[in-house]
Amino acid sequence: MDTHASSTNLSDSAEAGAPAPHEEEHAHPTWSTYWKVALILTLITVGEVWAYYIPSFVAGRGFVPTLLILSALKFTIVVMFYMHLKYDHRLFRVLFTGPLLIASLTLLALMFLFGHLYIKIM
Amino acid sequence: MTAPAARIPAVHTSAPAAHHYTTLGLDSRKVAIWAFIGSECMLFVSLISTYLIYKGRSVVGPFPHETWTDPATGRVLKPILNIPVTSASTFVLLMSSLFMVLALAAVQNKEKPKRTRGERILGNSKLWLWMTAIAGTTFLGFQAFEFTSFVHEGLTIRTNLFGSSFFTLTGFHGAHVTAGVLWLVTLLAIDYRRGLGSRDSLLVDIAALYWHFVDVIWIVIFTLVYLIK
């Protein structure tokens, strides 16, 4: 993906005596990249809805994993390119993925305890 | 850490009064929005967990994907989820994210010369902020239509476990979209009042992060609630 320099953060911290803004986070995608990402997201969504209307596929074992993978792919694309996490400082990645990981593990635990992934422990 | 106010030139009335940076040199407001988004992840995952745990445990219909016959009245209730309508609203929300990044890029590149008509369109922050707000409002219109049709078909928040968890989850998401639209309107007001320039890009960046977060949450909801039977 092509990038260009852009000023996300305000620039005059140095003159104000504060620490300089981090330079690592300034490369953002170009307009054409944004359009390509939108096209990919649309195609994935069309694929998901198409799959929903194929009875044999819905009845098969691959339906749910396929939809979950496609959804995760869309999620990742938006976070990486539209939310610029791919280009921003790694602290932002930690602030986002940390709670997301905890929440996801909690979801899995709850599904095992009370949901459709229920397993009898005792 | 706050920059001394006396160092900010008086002519910069359009710029924020003070800039806050962490010891890493990151703007505190951007760190704060990411921390907020992290906490919001936990909120929505708790709502999604509740929905998934209650999924398929409703005693009475209407159900999301199955037909149900009311034993008392003999009335047949069809699957209540309207996938074509929701697919359209999902597409609208995805496009709103595109408009939002274009708005941010337009603000960031405000001072760059625009030679062609295409560059002038892409560099028009008001246009893209309007498009994002309109797309968000359209999504809310779809949601209002969906909620109204559900109530007419006999599904309310008190009908069954599906109704309770569904309306709570999608209602919370709709409230977040509403807050996002109001945020966009305030940015538009600033843009019309004094013009958003590259110095304001962080203001738009923070709003954009919130908007995209609302979009990614919908991506998950669309798959887990609407598509997976």
Side-chain angles (χ1 to χ4, degrees), chain A:
Chain A
M1 295 284 184
D2 44 347
T3 60
H4 69 97
S6 63
S7 54
T8 305
N9 275 356
L10 301 164
S11 56
D12 53 353
S13 67
E15 79 172 271
H22 207 285
E23 295 301 323
E24 188 184 315
E25 63 187 290
H26 287 199
H28 282 184
T30 58
W31 284 317
S32 66
T33 305
Y34 291 140
W35 287 98
K36 284 175 199 162
V37 168
L39 181 65
I40 291 167
L41 291 171
T42 305
L43 290 176
I44 295 173
T45 307
V46 169
E48 283 178 319
V49 177
W50 194 340
Y52 179 86
Y53 285 106
I54 304 172
S56 59
F57 186 57
V58 173
R61 298 183 74 164
F63 177 65
V64 173
T66 303
L67 282 188
L68 289 177
I69 290 167
L70 289 176
S71 179
L73 186 62
K74 276 163 59 180
F75 185 99
T76 308
I77 289 172
V78 172
V79 169
M80 297 302 260
F81 291 99
Y82 282 177
M83 296 174 86
H84 305 131
L85 211 57
K86 181 178 161 71
Y87 309 97
D88 265 349
H89 194 274
R90 70 177 73 88
L91 175 69
F92 300 140
R93 262 174 257 173
V94 173
L95 283 172
F96 180 67
T97 53
L100 185 65
L101 190 67
I102 294 168
S104 304
L105 291 174
T106 309
L107 169 64
L108 271 178
L110 287 169
M111 290 303 289
F112 275 115
L113 285 170
F114 306 110
H116 296 273
L117 300 175
Y118 174 75
I119 49 169
K120 195 170 182 181
I121 296 168
M122 298 298 287

Side-chain angles (χ1 to χ4, degrees), chain B residues 76-181:
Chain B
V76 177
L77 297 172
K78 285 190 262 184
I80 202 153
L81 294 180
N82 190 337
I83 300 302
V85 167
T86 316
S87 301
S89 70
T90 302
F91 175 74
V92 168
L93 202 60
L94 281 176
M95 288 303 104
S96 78
S97 264
L98 170 65
F99 301 148
M100 190 73 240
V101 284
L102 292 178
L104 175 61
V107 170
Q108 286 173 338
N109 299 301
K110 199 73 154 200
E111 278 76 36
K112 288 186 180 171
K114 315 285 187 302
R115 291 183 187 86
T116 65
R117 189 160 175 261
E119 284 178 349
R120 278 193 292 276
I121 291 171
L122 284 171
N124 188 340
S125 60
K126 289 187 189 77
L127 169 70
W128 299 116
L129 285 172
W130 267 116
M131 293 287 280
T132 315
I134 289 168
T137 310
T138 307
F139 176 84
L140 289 171
F142 273 117
Q143 196 166 43
F145 167 78
E146 184 186 42
F147 281 15
T148 309
S149 64
F150 282 8
V151 170
H152 285 151
E153 289 174 46
L155 182 75
T156 68
I157 198 167
R158 295 191 300 177
T159 305
N160 55 20
L161 285 173
F162 165 68
S164 301
S165 53
F166 173 84
F167 280 113
T168 305
L169 173 58
T170 54
F172 259 94
H173 181 266
H176 279 74
V177 176
T178 307
V181 170

Side-chain angles (χ1 to χ4, degrees), chain B residues 48 53-54 61:
Chain B
I48 290 168
I53 287 167
Y54 287 151

